[in-house]
């Protein structure tokens, strides 16, 4: 009987250790990459589209350091409190609370790994920055947007 219980305990341990990655595990994965200063592992926590938008944001802002270097330099962050996790097929929406604010984060499954998809948020930020940059260029040329419309 003892052997059977050891086998059951061993099987449960094995099953739990091989459990599939959950969307909420992304924060642990990111902090582990930051702790090891592993830029590739950190990048791999984001979708390719998100990585591309971060690079474009760096370029527009003239940042001397890429976004992933800045994240690593900021150090390991306190993981946000996951309030809810809704998973449907290859997409998950996490509602998290951090600094007394609630955020909805989208994750997508890519080759059995959950990745943060910030494309909507970053696209909006990029759009605002591009508009501001365009307005500043027009202003520096002596053109105002009001005169242009007339």
């Amino acid at each position: 009987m003892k052997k059977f219980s050891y086998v059951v305990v061993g099987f449960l341990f094995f099953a739990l250790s091989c459990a599939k990655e959950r969307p909420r595990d992304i924060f642990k994965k990111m902090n582990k990459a930051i702790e090891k200063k592993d830029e590739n592992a950190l990048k791999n926590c984001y979708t390719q589209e998100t990585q591309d938008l971060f690079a474009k944001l760096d370029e527009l802002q003239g940042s001397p350091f890429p976004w992933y270097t800045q994240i690593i330099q900021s150090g390991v962050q306190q993981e946000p409190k996951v309030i809810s996790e809704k998973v449907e097929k290859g997409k998950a929406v996490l509602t998290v609370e951090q600094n007394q604010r609630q955020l909805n984060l989208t994750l997508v499954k890519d080759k059995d790994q959950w990745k943060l998809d910030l494309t909507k948020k970053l696209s909006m930020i990029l759009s605002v920055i591009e508009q501001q940059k365009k307005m500043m260029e027009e202003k520096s040329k002596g053109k105002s947007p009001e005169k242009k419309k007339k």
Side-chain angles (χ1 to χ4, degrees):
M1 189 68 173
K2 272 188 174 181
K3 286 184 181 181
F4 178 72
S5 59
Y6 288 129
V7 170
V8 171
V9 170
F11 177 75
L12 285 174
F13 178 75
F14 178 74
L16 291 174
S17 66
C18 294
K20 289 189 176 183
E21 181 182 54
R22 299 176 308 168
R24 67 180 60 211
D25 295 336
I26 194 72
F27 304 115
K28 286 180 179 76
K29 194 173 173 181
M30 291 172 72
N31 274 337
K32 191 175 184 179
I34 292 168
E35 188 178 328
K36 291 182 174 183
K37 297 183 182 346
D38 187 341
E39 294 176 356
N40 288 327
L42 181 62
K43 282 183 185 181
N44 200 37
C45 292
Y46 297 90
T47 62
Q48 185 60 50
E49 294 84 7
T50 299
Q51 291 177 42
D52 295 343
L53 289 171
F54 268 131
K56 190 171 182 180
L57 186 62
D58 286 343
E59 183 182 318
L60 272 174
Q61 293 181 325
S63 178
F65 301 106
W67 60 272
Y68 48 86
T69 301
Q70 294 175 37
I71 293 172
I72 287 173
Q73 287 176 350
S74 68
V76 173
Q77 301 296 310
Q78 179 180 355
E79 291 180 25
K81 177 182 175 186
V82 178
I83 296 169
S84 70
E85 179 179 81
K86 184 178 177 183
V87 180
E88 288 184 16
K89 297 183 183 179
K91 185 176 179 180
V93 176
L94 296 180
T95 302
V96 299
E97 184 178 304
Q98 192 168 31
N99 302 327
Q100 289 118 18
R101 288 185 55 210
Q102 282 192 5
L103 302 166
N104 290 325
L105 299 174
T106 303
L107 288 95
V108 294
K109 201 158 200 177
D110 182 21
K111 299 176 187 168
D112 291 333
Q113 291 185 334
W114 287 104
K115 297 185 179 203
L116 269 171
D117 181 16
L118 304 177
T119 54
K120 287 181 184 178
K121 290 172 178 55
L122 290 175
S123 293
M124 287 182 2
I125 292 169
L126 280 168
S127 176
V128 168
I129 290 173
E130 287 172 339
Q131 288 174 354
Q132 288 176 341
K133 193 171 184 177
K134 188 176 179 181
M135 287 173 55
M136 294 298 284
E137 287 172 357
E138 288 177 355
K139 190 175 181 178
S140 69
K141 291 178 183 177
K143 298 178 184 177
S144 68
E146 293 83 30
K147 290 180 183 177
K148 203 175 186 182
K149 289 181 183 177
K150 291 183 183 178

